[in-house]
Amino acid sequence: MAFDPIATLREWKHKVASLQERWRGARRENEQLRKENEQLRRREKQLEQEREQLRQEVEKLKRQLEQAQRASKRQAAPFSRGTRKQNPKTPGRKSGSAYGQRHSKAIPPKVDEVIAVPPPAQCMCGGPLKVERIEAQYQQEIVRQTFWRRFDVPVCRCQKCHKRVQGRDPRQTSDALGAAAVQLGPDALALAVKMNKGLGMPHADVAAVLQDGFQLQVNRSTICRAVDRVARRGEATWHALRDAARRSMVNGMDETGWNVAAQLRWLWVAVSEQVTFCDILPGRGFPQAAAILGADYDGWLTHDGWKPYAKFLRASHQSCLAHLLRRCQDMIKAASPAAARFPLQVQAVLQQGLALRDRYNHHEISLHGLFTATGRLEVKLDRVLAHPGRDAANLRFAKHLLHERLYIFMFLYCPGLDATNNVSERAIRALIGARKNWGGNRTPRGARAQAVLTSILQTAKQQDTKPFDVLLELLGSSDPHKILDLVPAPETPLEPVNASLHPPLWFTVPDILAPPPSPGLAAAPV
């Protein structure tokens, strides 16, 4: 067959055209794939940005939720106790033998009024009645009656220095004459101050009670001025109570929010064995805490773990176990099963510490056994803190526990020391009702009166002294610098405690603490 170059060229030309067409199609496909790949990259980048935004939003919401939970618990106790029991017990007294010990009010030794109750005219069926016996019923009532006093005050003039001097009766609440000669008596003013500062009632409610109960026409301004006058007379006692708190060997300390002139301030309280001292200060840091107890306070300090308290370098600390257990419980409710393992372990160790304290108090182990078991318990806590996991809440809690590590079981090394700061919590709880009713104080002067009177009334209640009698003593005193008998006598200053040593080495049982049980009791394993 003869070679045909033209046909061969045509064939190669057709093949080249076919290859060019396939190449163009592959190029178009590659370009389309490249565009799709670029779109996927942009979409992936956009999704990554959206994921980051969502993650930041979730973290922000978590922080806001945590802050809201802390704020709600700091400002007031929650009203709900949680989930109700499925089969709660019937409220009230039980019938029959389960009633318990029966009591009744004593019959009064003296009766001021006897009222003869007439018998009914006839029975419900219409029959006549015959009296068989007379039974006595007693009733204690109040007298809604006011009366006026007039004091004939002698106004004298000194013949030597020509100074004006006037007399004073113990029942007078003021030396004012002339336009201010009409006043309220000490009982009425003491009752008003007690209702306002002791019971948290607003001035208008106090005036309404005096009007409805005793027909006393009183304005709110009168109550306000009476509170301020009593507070000024109690300032000397208030300063003396602060000095007594600084001399106390053990103090529980706490703080809560308080409004003064619509601005956030902080109500501080320090509670010792005999004294309660309150003050309203503009901050929540160490300078404010040091203004109450002094920066060089060297006694025992129980608190809730707030970091500024750790700056009392000479003091010995006890961190409140109730706060730690409550935090464990809250974390267990909100965490996943895996994340809840860490707070469950911490909760178990803390409860073992409280159980160990109870065993010592019940004379089941000796003092040496208590120290030995406490050391084992600390080792167990260190092992738990070494593995908090990756959960953010667990890491924060572990960081806080490591900061408070030396102060958690201090109550076991010093038997008799309270494991919680419940005493200061109870002192603040008395003011929560007032904060709910009228929100705080309108002026710094009112805040000062609140701090002074709260300190005096809480200290009187703490010492089993009637607050009403204390207020009467302040109102009837003519000495503006009078210090009440509520202030304990000065004692010998405390010896400084070397907090750098391990507790068993410097531990000594003070006289105020519980004595150890009988010797010979062995240490039981934790």
Side-chain angles (χ1 to χ4, degrees), residues 12-222:
W12 281 104
K13 185 178 180 181
H14 179 71
K15 289 182 178 182
V16 169
S18 177
L19 289 174
Q20 287 178 347
E21 185 66 25
R22 290 173 61 186
W23 180 78
R24 292 191 187 96
R27 185 176 180 181
R28 287 193 297 269
E29 290 179 1
N30 288 337
E31 186 66 22
Q32 184 177 0
L33 290 174
R34 187 185 65 79
K35 292 180 179 179
E36 292 178 356
N37 192 16
E38 187 67 25
Q39 291 177 357
L40 289 175
R41 284 200 185 98
R42 288 197 297 268
R43 181 59 179 168
E44 182 180 3
K45 186 176 181 180
Q46 183 179 1
L47 291 175
E48 184 66 26
Q49 292 176 352
E50 292 178 358
R51 283 196 297 268
E52 181 65 22
Q53 292 177 357
L54 291 175
R55 187 187 64 80
Q56 294 177 358
E57 186 69 20
V58 169
E59 291 295 330
K60 180 181 178 180
L61 292 175
K62 284 183 177 180
R63 289 193 299 268
Q64 292 177 354
L65 177 60
E66 185 177 358
Q67 292 175 359
Q69 290 175 344
R70 290 180 178 178
S72 63
K73 292 179 181 179
R74 182 181 303 123
Q75 298 301 326
F79 296 98
S80 174
R81 295 184 178 180
T83 306
R84 290 179 59 88
K85 295 181 179 179
Q86 295 182 356
N87 299 313
K89 296 182 179 180
T90 304
R93 286 282 192 176
K94 307 300 182 290
S95 59
S97 59
Y99 180 87
Q101 188 175 2
R102 298 178 181 271
H103 295 276
S104 61
K105 290 187 176 181
I107 296 176
K110 179 184 176 182
V111 176
D112 301 307
E113 183 182 7
V114 178
I115 300 176
V117 181
Q122 61 182 8
C123 181
M124 295 179 62
C125 66
L129 299 176
K130 179 182 178 181
V131 178
E132 295 181 350
R133 66 182 185 276
I134 302 296
E135 293 286 346
Q137 184 189 60
Y138 301 91
Q139 185 183 83
Q140 192 174 18
E141 181 61 293
I142 62 174
V143 179
R144 298 178 57 194
Q145 181 181 0
T146 61
F147 63 94
W148 285 93
R149 291 192 185 111
R150 188 184 74 182
F151 297 95
D152 294 329
V153 182
V155 179
C156 308
R157 182 73 62 180
C158 178
Q159 297 299 317
K160 181 178 180 180
C161 64
H162 303 287
K163 182 180 179 181
R164 179 183 178 275
V165 182
Q166 69 182 52
R168 181 183 176 95
D169 187 271
R171 287 166 290 185
Q172 289 181 259
T173 59
S174 173
D175 293 331
L177 300 174
V182 181
Q183 303 170 2
L184 290 178
D187 287 350
L189 291 180
L191 180 60
V193 175
K194 178 66 169 61
M195 287 190 291
N196 178 247
K197 299 306 179 187
L199 303 179
M201 296 175 59
H203 295 145
D205 293 350
V206 174
V209 170
L210 294 178
Q211 170 66 31
D212 297 339
F214 304 97
Q215 290 86 44
L216 284 175
Q217 190 67 32
V218 184
N219 294 323
R220 292 179 297 174
S221 59
T222 303

Side-chain angles (χ1 to χ4, degrees), residues 465-484:
T465 303
K466 293 182 179 180
F468 195 84
D469 295 340
V470 173
L471 294 175
L472 287 177
E473 186 177 357
L474 285 176
L475 285 167
S477 174
S478 59
D479 183 8
H481 304 291
K482 177 180 177 60
I483 297 179
L484 300 175

Side-chain angles (χ1 to χ4, degrees), residues 391-457:
D391 185 73
N394 289 349
L395 292 174
R396 287 195 301 269
F397 190 33
K399 182 179 179 181
H400 174 72
L401 290 174
L402 288 173
H403 181 269
E404 299 292 315
R405 168 65 180 80
L406 295 177
Y407 314 141
I408 295 178
F409 295 120
M410 196 64 68
F411 69 100
L412 296 176
Y413 286 118
C414 188
L417 185 66
D418 198 350
T420 67
N421 67 334
N422 286 342
V423 290
S424 54
E425 292 279 352
R426 288 193 296 269
I428 283 184
R429 192 176 297 120
L431 295 164
I432 298 301
R435 186 176 61 189
K436 286 182 176 295
N437 289 337
W438 33 273
N441 300 107
R442 292 185 178 182
T443 62
R445 186 172 178 176
R448 183 62 170 264
Q450 180 74 46
V452 171
L453 293 177
T454 299
S455 302
I456 293 176
L457 294 177

Side-chain angles (χ1 to χ4, degrees), residues 273-334:
E273 186 180 7
Q274 295 180 317
V275 168
T276 298
F277 179 79
C278 303
D279 199 1
I280 299 175
L281 300 172
R284 197 188 173 206
F286 177 72
Q288 289 75 33
I292 296 177
L293 292 182
D296 56 348
Y297 177 71
D298 56 359
W300 291 92
L301 190 62
T302 60
H303 50 79
D304 56 4
W306 181 237
K307 283 189 176 181
Y309 293 127
K311 295 184 179 180
F312 286 98
L313 301 180
R314 300 186 62 186
S316 301
H317 300 263
Q318 170 60 53
S319 188
C320 177
L321 261 66
H323 282 77
L324 299 178
L325 289 172
R326 192 180 306 120
R327 185 170 178 179
C328 289
Q329 193 64 31
D330 294 341
M331 292 175 63
I332 292 169
K333 291 179 181 179

Side-chain angles (χ1 to χ4, degrees), residues 374-384 405:
T374 302
R376 297 171 184 169
L377 200 62
E378 288 182 327
V379 172
K380 183 180 293 188
L381 179 61
D382 290 337
R383 292 174 180 172
V384 172
R405 168 65 180 80

